[in-house]
Every structure is written in C-alpha cells, then in structure tokens.
Amino acid sequence: MTTVDGWQRLSPRMLLVHPVHEVLRQIPVIAGSLVFGSATGNHTVVLLVIGLTVAFGLARWFTTAYRIGDAEVQLRTGVLQRKVLSVPRNRIRSVSTEARLLHRLLGLTVLRVSTGQEATGDTVFALDAVPTEEVGRLRAVLLAESLAPAPTSQPGRVLARWSPSWLRYSPLSLTGLAMIAAAIGVLYEIGAEAALRGSPVAESGAAAAERFGAAVVAAVAVAVVLVASVVLSVLQSLVSYANLELRRDFDVLHLRYGLIRVREHTFDMRRLRGGTLREPLLVRLFGGARLDAVMTGVGGQGEASLLLPPCPRATAQAVLADLIARRDAVDGPLRGHGPAATRRRYTRALIVPAVAAVALAVASVAGTVPVWAWVLWVVVTVCCALLGADRARSLGHRVGDGWLVARTGSLQRRRDCVEASGIIGWTVRQTFFQRRAGVATLVAATAAGVKRYQVLDVPADLAWTIAAETTPWLAGTRWAGEGYDLR
C-alpha cells in the first residue's frame, strides 16, 4: 500500500503478528495484573491490560511506514511519539533478513539495513515485516550498486554448504553447559531450590546416596549433565545453522542459514578486507575452525560477521582463500617473534603454578599438606606448561604482497588476514614488562571488522619496519623511524 507522498506500509498480515509479540513482551505486566486482580477480586483489570496490549500492537502497523527515495531510505514509526529514521543509500553496507516461525507461517520476513555503525533500539533500521516475495526486489533496490556486475566480476557460485557432519563440533563449544547453567540460575532465582527441599526428588537422591555412595551419585549426575550438554549443543547448532549456504553472485556475498528461524545476510564484496579464522582449543584439536569476515561496515564479532560456523578447517581455509584470492595468507608459514616473546608466553602461563608452589611449600613447613594437593599441583603445572608451549607455537605474523597476517592465542586461537589497503593507521604500544623484554605490540587500525588488529610481542626494533613493509605509504617517513603514533 503506497500513499501519495511515496510512503509504503508494511504487510497487513503483521496485524496478526504485532499483537502476539506485544503480549509476549508484556508477560510480566500481565502476570502482575493477574495477581492484582486475584487479590482484589476484580478480574477486569487483566482483560483491560490484555486489551490495551493488543490495541498497541495493532496501532504499530497503522503508524509504521517506509519510503525509498533516490538519495535516502526513511522509516517512520511511533504510536505515542512519532520518529523518522533516515539512512543515506550510499551509506548502506549490508542487508540482512530474518524470519521467525510465526513470520514464516504468514509468509513474512524482517529486513534490516546496516550502515556499518552499531545500532540498537530505535536506531535500528528494520522493516518488520515485508512479504517474502518482496525481499528480493527490496534487496536489489537497496544494494543496486553492489548487485550490478562489474566487468571483472566472477560469476555466481556456491562457496560452501552446511553438512550434518559439522554437528560434531557443536559439543566442543560448551554452549550446552552454558544453557544448563543459565537454566539452573533461573530456577534458583524463582525459588525452585526451596520447593525441592523435602520433595520426593530430594528424598530419592538422598536415598540413592546412602545406598550407592555419594561419589557414585555425583559421578552419575555429572554424566547426565554432560550428556544433556551434548544434546543441547547439537540441537542448538542444528536449529541455528542447518541449511546454511554461502554463495557469491558477482560482487555480492549472500549467506543464508537456520532451520526454524531463517536468517539471510547480503554483503558487498567490494568492502571485504579479509577474514579471521577462529580456532578454539577443543574445536582445533578435532580439526575445526570458524570463519568471520573482515569487512567495512560489519562488526567483527558475533553473528554479524559470521561466514561459516565451526566446520572442517580445510573448508574454512578454502572459502577464505577463494574470497581473498591469496592461499599463502590463509595457510602459509608465519614468522616467529623470537625468544623474548616465547619466554613471555611461558612466564605468564607458569606464574600461577609458581605462586601455588610457594604457598604449598610454606604450608608444608607450618603443617601437613595432603599428597593429593601436590599431585594436583603437578597436573596443573603440566597443563600450564603445555598451554605456554602452544601459545608460543601459535604466535607469528606474515607481511607482504599487500596483506598483513597475524596469529595468536591458544584457548581461543585466531588468524587474522587483513588487506593492507584497508589499514588507515598504526600504533606501537609497550607495557612496562614489554619494555623490559624488548618487545612491543603493533596495532593496525582499520574501518573493517573489529577495527584494530594486533601483532603481539614483536621485537621492538622491528615493529615499525613490519608496518612499513605492510603499507608502503609509511616507508621513508620520519614517523616510521621515530616511532610516532599515527592514529
């Protein structure tokens, strides 16, 4: 429905969705009115609150409209207070869509426009919702410049598709344990602990502990939690990433994923500045990795930058190499940072065991320390030493041919591949301990991804040399020689 001045309303099918969403959003208020009505004997209060909530949801459709002009896109919202959000079309960096279950049943899609600036609340440009058949046309209009194929553009092709085998990486992210911990916290807050005291469940647990022993019951409980964690992690990954397809159509990168809640992201490939391979320790041990985009106007963390969830490392590397057309940047050898950086990795990893050893030694002089405490100290020390060795082995960088590659971390290892043309400034930083060790942290500033990419603990006398090798515009300047902050 289009008015004379060019304003268009959203799909009238949202008259069935907005009231439901408002009722769900106002459940605490409705529950409070229910308690109040029961206490006073006046149940019309509940009906009045529900009626007002539904009416507000209906009014949202009548007060929401959008307009696409030659220079800008506008969104008009507000029931009690009118607001107009305007976005210049030349500032649009990406278009994403999302369809929850109710939206999909009604053939609707939520369309979001991103300009690269972090937007929350009323500053988010979201059309909730448009008919699914209109999404393609709106995307083409909003990304008209990106969708127009350039003479040198590559033809459209699928870069990666989701496979059920990717689910084997799901339990390694500990998502299930986090969900269980959150559920336990909620139950504790609502007083479930008090309700369990003296209940048949608690009595059965106490009886089992007396019969089989507390250690056996605890082991069974841990096993049940671990199994539940695995199941929840797999289900969460299946629901979130099933049917994923990453496709490149000329200068547009299109990502679609989700089983129940379908999400789609469209990116302008001309704003791509590289990628990040994320390899958490457990995922890495099983040969997996996650791929994030380093792109102007797109955040470098979370779902905003996601290109591939945890998947086989070879798949993530192949996709990144295809996108940036540089295989050596993705899996080529890296230059180490020298013995000083290695010593810092071991020192920081072993400082806790060293302090613990002193504490145990003092306790041994003052009294008796159980043998298991020393055994635990040995185990922790070995684990910390292995962690330090892995962090030292992971540390490295690579420059040349227009790219900066930096790798760091162990528990959360990452390899950042950043195009040199996207770097707009450099900073060399040194803490007190870094100055003592003769190393420094080189920070590349860019408008893409997380905005700053670090090369940790490089030899201090080589920091500006590395920066000059990466960005030729720095070579020969007095700042490169004198160590000025260029930002």
Side-chain angles (χ1 to χ4, degrees):
M1 182 185 302
T2 305
T3 60
V4 177
D5 53 356
W7 288 97
Q8 302 179 58
R9 294 197 185 278
L10 299 172
S11 172
R13 281 170 274 179
M14 284 304 296
L15 292 171
L16 300 175
V17 178
H18 281 317
V20 175
H21 285 176
E22 289 299 329
V23 169
L24 294 176
R25 191 177 301 159
Q26 301 301 329
I27 281 180
V29 177
I30 296 174
S33 64
L34 180 61
V35 172
F36 178 79
S38 300
T40 60
N42 185 9
H43 296 287
T44 57
V45 176
V46 182
L47 298 178
L48 179 60
V49 170
I50 295 177
L52 290 175
T53 302
V54 172
F56 185 84
L58 295 174
R60 284 183 58 191
W61 182 83
F62 291 98
T63 57
T64 301
Y66 68 97
R67 180 169 60 184
I68 301 178
D70 295 334
E72 60 183 2
V73 185
Q74 294 177 301
L75 176 63
R76 185 173 63 193
T77 59
V79 177
L80 302 178
Q81 181 180 3
R82 180 61 57 87
K83 299 178 182 178
V84 178
L85 180 61
S86 179
V87 175
R89 292 184 61 176
N90 61 0
R91 296 285 298 171
I92 296 176
R93 299 292 184 263
S94 63
V95 174
S96 61
T97 62
E98 177 182 344
R100 302 181 183 89
L101 181 59
L102 185 56
H103 285 79
R104 294 178 64 187
L105 292 176
L106 296 175
L108 301 173
T109 302
V110 182
L111 186 144
R112 292 185 175 86
V113 175
S114 173
T115 63
Q117 301 294 327
E118 185 176 357
T120 58
D122 296 334
T123 62
V124 177
F125 195 104
L127 302 182
D128 185 8
V130 296
T132 302
E133 60 271 15
E134 287 291 314
V135 171
R137 182 187 66 83
L138 288 175
R139 181 185 289 113
V141 172
L142 295 172
L143 295 174
E145 296 182 0
S146 302
L147 292 173
T152 59
S153 297
Q154 300 183 22
R157 65 190 188 281
V158 175
L159 301 180
R161 280 195 178 96
W162 181 84
S163 170
S165 63
W166 294 9
L167 292 175
R168 68 180 184 270
Y169 302 108
S170 304
L172 307 177
S173 64
L174 306 181
T175 302
L177 287 177
M179 296 170 65
I180 293 175
I184 292 175
V186 172
L187 293 176
Y188 180 83
E189 289 294 330
I190 64 176
E193 179 189 11
L196 284 175
R197 294 176 184 172
S199 66
V201 176
E203 293 177 355
S204 300
E210 292 179 359
R211 181 177 180 181
F212 301 104
V216 175
V217 173
V220 172
V222 170
V224 170
V225 170
L226 291 178
V227 171
S229 171
V230 170
V231 173
L232 288 175
S233 297
V234 171
L235 289 178
Q236 190 271 340
S237 180
L238 177 65
V239 171
S240 299
Y241 302 120
N243 301 323
L244 179 144
E245 181 180 270
L246 180 64
R247 180 180 180 85
R248 179 173 181 175
D249 295 309
F250 301 105
D251 286 329
V252 172
L253 195 63
H254 189 74
L255 175 66
R256 175 188 172 92
Y257 60 94
L259 188 61
I260 298 177
R261 185 176 183 177
V262 180
R263 299 182 181 183
E264 295 186 49
H265 301 279
T266 303
F267 306 104
D268 186 350
M269 276 291 300
R270 289 172 295 184
R271 305 186 190 278
L272 184 70
R273 295 295 178 264
T276 296
L277 290 169
R278 300 182 185 273
E279 301 174 275
L281 179 59
L282 294 179
V283 175
R284 175 158 49 102
L285 291 177
F286 285 84
R290 163 182 163 148
L291 177 61
D292 287 352
V294 177
M295 185 173 292
T296 304
V298 178
Q301 294 180 342
E303 295 294 320
S305 63
L306 174 73
L307 292 182
L308 293 177
C311 62
R313 184 188 298 113
T315 300
Q317 290 176 335
V319 170
L320 180 56
D322 187 283
L323 291 176
I324 67 176
R326 289 302 305 270
R327 185 75 198 193
D328 56 341
V330 176
D331 57 8
L334 302 179
R335 184 189 306 174
H337 293 179
T342 300
R343 285 195 301 269
R344 280 175 54 81
R345 307 271 90 68
Y346 278 103
T347 300
R348 296 170 68 177
L350 295 174
I351 187 170
V352 172
V355 173
V358 173
L360 288 174
V362 172
S364 298
V365 174
T368 303
V369 175
V371 176
W372 63 263
W374 286 106
V375 174
L376 179 62
W377 176 83
V378 171
V379 173
V380 171
T381 301
V382 171
C383 291
C384 290
L386 293 175
L387 177 64
D390 189 54
R391 293 185 66 221
R393 184 170 54 252
S394 299
L395 192 64
H397 73 277
R398 180 189 183 98
V399 296
D401 298 325
W403 286 89
L404 169 67
V405 181
R407 190 177 66 186
T408 185
S410 177
L411 298 180
Q412 294 290 336
R413 194 171 80 174
R414 54 183 294 163
R415 182 178 179 125
D416 299 311
C417 304
V418 183
E419 190 176 11
S421 61
I423 298 175
I424 58 177
W426 293 94
T427 301
V428 173
R429 294 177 178 171
Q430 284 183 295
T431 65
F432 172 78
F433 295 105
Q434 282 181 315
R435 288 196 299 270
R436 299 276 296 181
V439 297
T441 296
L442 181 63
V443 183
T446 176
V450 296
K451 314 305 181 187
R452 53 194 302 272
Y453 291 89
Q454 302 184 63
V455 186
L456 296 178
D457 286 353
V458 296
D461 56 345
L462 296 179
W464 287 107
T465 302
I466 295 172
E469 290 179 358
T470 305
T471 50
W473 53 263
L474 182 62
T477 64
R478 64 185 180 91
W479 294 281
E482 299 176 11
Y484 279 69
D485 186 336
L486 298 180
R487 291 193 303 172

